[in-house]
């Protein structure tokens, strides 16, 4: 009996100790919003707040979440559900704060309508690059979303940097290049400023920001309330015109439905069935989006919930998600071409035009190959050597491999042939530290090219 009592006492003591340990254990520390002050080039004079969940993925997706006029990044953090969704799915959220015109993002200046313009979009790109480098953010999973002024900037970022952003969700926005100048930027005083252009005109406005871009365009989700008196509901149709035209789609939806009461959804799918554009009409809603549950729909559209589109568009050549801009130059991120050149012609006469758009520690570059010879080139390989520590992290219109400072770009299936006197182009996104100097020379199929 004594042995039984002693054993029982020992069990009780062990249970009590375990309970005491549980009581004494400190609670898990919740992730918090943190301000980043030295994120890179910041011509827009923006502030950056960052939310990194405790369960952040090893190579996390990045969501750029932008507030309304008069708002702030911390305000958008506390008033929307993107942070709680980040806790659930492990992505990182960037919350920028605007500084111009009552804290509106610059959607009116000429600089805001061109790549590399010295205003808000460059500052926002610096934030994205910072997260890619410091947190190994996945450059193949970068997304933008925003409300009102932030929605307008969402349209702008996807048009200006289509190779960077894979999708966007714009709540109560207007098309890219809507406002001709700052005086026109007064949505409340002119609630339908962008009605009247054709789909072709709106599409051209986006394409003209990247005349050499031939890669896939980001998918777009659009939201608007029918009773919005600040940015009129009519602007939703203009946005639909712009993005369906950019994707080469009809303005007639491929499907319509009502996911829940008061929500009417139109979807615009491509020939493969992938929804490239979808538009939500919220019956009776004013200038108050996103409301409850809408952020989750946007994150699902991005493909971050594990139940996104059956086919997620990606560049014809892109690094694997495990690659990051912070890998050392000795690493060799591989961008596999969909077709290698067959019988590349040696000794072809050529001219290479190289144009880089640089921000702090990140850049994109457009490369144009001109065949200055008298015979066509059937299959091409362009090679060069970086003068610094540049590292390619994504590409379009070419398959690119890098070993140390040596880079090789090969044609893909649809641009292998370059006629005599003709040209083709490709591009890529990269990262660097120090200076982003231009390569000293390029070669086409082993023969040195002139540069322009």
């Amino acid at each position: 009996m004594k042995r039984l009592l002693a054993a029982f006492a020992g069990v009780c003591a062990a249970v009590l100790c375990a309970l005491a340990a549980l009581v004494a254990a400190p609670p898990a520390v919740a992730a918090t919003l943190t301000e980043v002050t030295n994120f890179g080039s910041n011509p827009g004079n923006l502030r950056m707040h960052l939310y990194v969940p405790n369960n952040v993925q090893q190579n996390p997706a990045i969501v750029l979440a932008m507030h309304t006029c008069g708002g702030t990044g911390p305000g958008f953090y506390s008033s929307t559900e993107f942070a709680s969704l980040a806790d659930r799915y492990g992505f990182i959220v960037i919350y920028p704060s605007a500084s111009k015109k009552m804290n509106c993002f610059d959607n009116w200046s000429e600089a805001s309508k061109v790549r590399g313009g010295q205003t808000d979009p460059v500052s926002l790109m610096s934030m994205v690059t910072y997260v890619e480098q410091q947190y190994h953010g996945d450059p193949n999973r970068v997304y933008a979303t925003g409300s009102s002024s932030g929605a307008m900037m969402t349209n702008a970022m996807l048009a200006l940097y289509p190779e960077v952003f894979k999708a966007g969700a714009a709540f109560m926005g207007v098309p890219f290049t809507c406002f001709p100048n700052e005086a026109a930027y007064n949505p409340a005083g002119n609630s339908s400023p962008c009605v009247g252009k054709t789909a072709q005109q709106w599409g051209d406005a986006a394409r003209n920001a990247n005349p050499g871009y031939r890669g896939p365009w980001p998918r777009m989700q659009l939201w608007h309330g029918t009773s919005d008196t600040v940015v009129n509901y009519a602007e939703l149709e203009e946005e639909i015109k712009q993005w369906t035209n950019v994707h080469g789609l009809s303005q007639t939806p491929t499907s319509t439905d009502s996911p829940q009461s008061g929500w009417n959804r139109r979807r615009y799918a491509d020939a493969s069935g992938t929804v490239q554009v979808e538009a939500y009409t919220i019956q009776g809603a004013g200038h108050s989006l996103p409301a409850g549950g809408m952020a989750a729909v946007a994150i699902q559209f991005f493909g971050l919930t594990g139940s996104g589109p059956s086919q997620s568009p990606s560049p014809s050549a892109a690094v694997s998600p495990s690659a990051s801009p912070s890998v050392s130059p000795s690493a060799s991120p591989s961008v596999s071409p969909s077709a290698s050149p067959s019988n590349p012609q040696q000794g072809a006469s050529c001219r290479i035009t190289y144009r880089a758009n640089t921000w702090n520690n990140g850049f994109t570059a457009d490369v144009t190959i001109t065949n200055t010879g008298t015979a066509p080139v059937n299959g091409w390989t362009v090679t060069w050597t970086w003068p610094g520590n540049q590292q390619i992290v994504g590409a379009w219109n070419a398959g690119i491999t890098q070993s140390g400072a040596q880079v090789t770009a090969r044609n893909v299936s649809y641009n292998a042939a370059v006629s005599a006197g003709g040209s083709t182009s490709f591009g890529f996104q990269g990262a660097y530290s120090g200076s982003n100097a231009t390569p000293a020379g390029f070669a086409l199929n082993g023969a040195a090219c002139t540069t322009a």
Side-chain angles (χ1 to χ4, degrees):
M1 185 67 177
K2 290 181 179 179
R3 290 180 180 177
L4 181 61
L5 290 173
F8 181 74
V11 170
C12 290
V15 171
L16 289 172
C17 288
L19 289 172
L22 287 173
V23 172
V29 178
T32 58
L33 190 68
T34 304
E35 183 166 11
V36 178
T37 55
N38 296 311
F39 55 85
S41 178
N42 186 18
N45 192 32
L46 306 186
R47 294 176 64 184
M48 174 185 179
H49 284 81
L50 195 64
Y51 186 76
V52 182
N54 290 331
N55 66 331
V56 64
Q57 296 178 7
Q58 184 176 3
N59 295 108
I62 302 167
V63 175
L64 178 66
M66 295 171 282
H67 61 75
T68 64
C69 279
T72 65
F76 204 57
Y77 158 78
S78 61
S79 64
T80 60
E81 299 169 327
F82 293 107
S84 62
L85 291 163
D87 288 332
R88 183 173 181 181
Y89 298 112
F91 57 85
I92 290 176
V93 189
I94 301 170
Y95 293 97
S97 294
S99 64
K100 300 178 180 67
K101 200 177 176 72
M102 299 180 296
N103 284 12
C104 299
F105 290 101
D106 179 5
N107 288 283
W108 58 82
S109 72
E110 288 304 311
S112 73
K113 301 167 188 172
V114 296
R115 290 174 66 104
Q118 294 302 293
T119 187
D120 292 7
V122 169
S123 298
L124 296 168
M125 281 303 307
S126 293
M127 297 179 191
V128 170
T129 301
Y130 176 89
V131 175
E132 288 178 347
Q133 294 181 332
Q134 298 299 319
Y135 293 90
H136 303 285
D138 186 349
N140 292 314
R141 294 192 298 156
V142 180
Y143 308 90
T145 187
S147 177
S148 192
S149 174
M152 299 171 193
M153 186 54 73
T154 296
N155 279 289
M157 295 304 289
L158 268 61
L160 291 169
Y161 301 98
E163 77 284 1
V164 174
F165 294 92
K166 304 309 173 192
F171 296 87
M172 311 177 304
V174 299
F176 172 59
T177 71
C178 164
F179 302 102
N181 50 52
E182 184 173 358
Y185 190 81
N186 186 15
N190 180 15
S191 61
S192 301
C194 311
V195 174
K197 289 187 179 180
T198 67
Q200 184 69 37
Q201 288 172 319
W202 283 127
D204 286 344
R207 285 184 289 269
N208 289 342
N210 294 276
Y213 182 65
R214 297 294 182 270
W217 286 85
R219 301 167 62 245
M220 178 59 89
Q221 185 184 74
L222 305 164
W223 298 75
H224 225 113
T226 58
S227 298
D228 193 331
T229 58
V230 177
V231 180
N232 194 279
Y233 172 68
E235 298 299 345
L236 177 63
E237 301 305 315
E238 304 306 303
E239 292 176 289
I240 293 171
K241 288 180 189 177
Q242 185 164 68
W243 288 104
T244 53
N245 186 266
V246 163
H247 282 282
L249 302 174
S250 167
Q251 293 175 58
T252 301
T254 52
S255 67
T256 61
D257 64 355
S258 295
Q260 67 180 61
S261 178
W263 292 18
N264 299 321
R265 177 172 61 183
R266 289 170 282 174
R267 285 179 152 177
Y268 304 82
D270 61 19
S272 71
T274 300
V275 176
Q276 299 292 353
V277 181
E278 67 178 21
Y280 284 81
T281 293
I282 311 302
Q283 295 296 328
H287 200 66
S288 58
L289 309 183
M294 294 180 182
V297 175
I299 294 303
Q300 181 177 2
F301 180 76
F302 295 166
L304 300 183
T305 65
S307 56
S310 58
Q311 288 182 269
S312 180
S314 59
S316 57
V319 295
S320 69
S322 61
S324 78
S326 58
V327 295
S328 65
S330 60
S332 302
S334 176
V335 189
S336 300
S338 58
S340 298
S342 59
N343 300 319
Q345 296 187 351
Q346 301 296 323
S349 298
C350 52
R351 180 175 66 250
I352 297 290
T353 303
Y354 178 88
R355 297 288 184 267
N357 294 293
T358 301
W359 56 92
N360 185 61
N361 296 329
F363 69 104
T364 59
D366 295 309
V367 182
T368 300
I369 308 164
T370 301
N371 178 6
T372 58
T374 57
V377 172
N378 295 310
W380 51 264
T381 299
V382 175
T383 55
W384 70 90
T385 301
W386 288 122
N389 63 355
Q390 292 96 331
Q391 190 75 24
I392 293 176
V393 298
W396 57 95
N397 295 342
I400 297 184
T401 55
Q402 180 172 346
S403 177
Q406 306 295 316
V407 183
T408 301
R410 295 182 175 87
N411 67 270
V412 287
S413 59
Y414 53 80
N415 64 0
V418 186
S419 62
S423 62
T424 191
S425 62
F426 65 93
F428 53 85
Q429 181 185 359
Y432 73 99
S433 61
S435 62
N436 185 27
T438 299
F442 297 82
L444 172 65
N445 294 343
C449 299
T450 60
T451 58

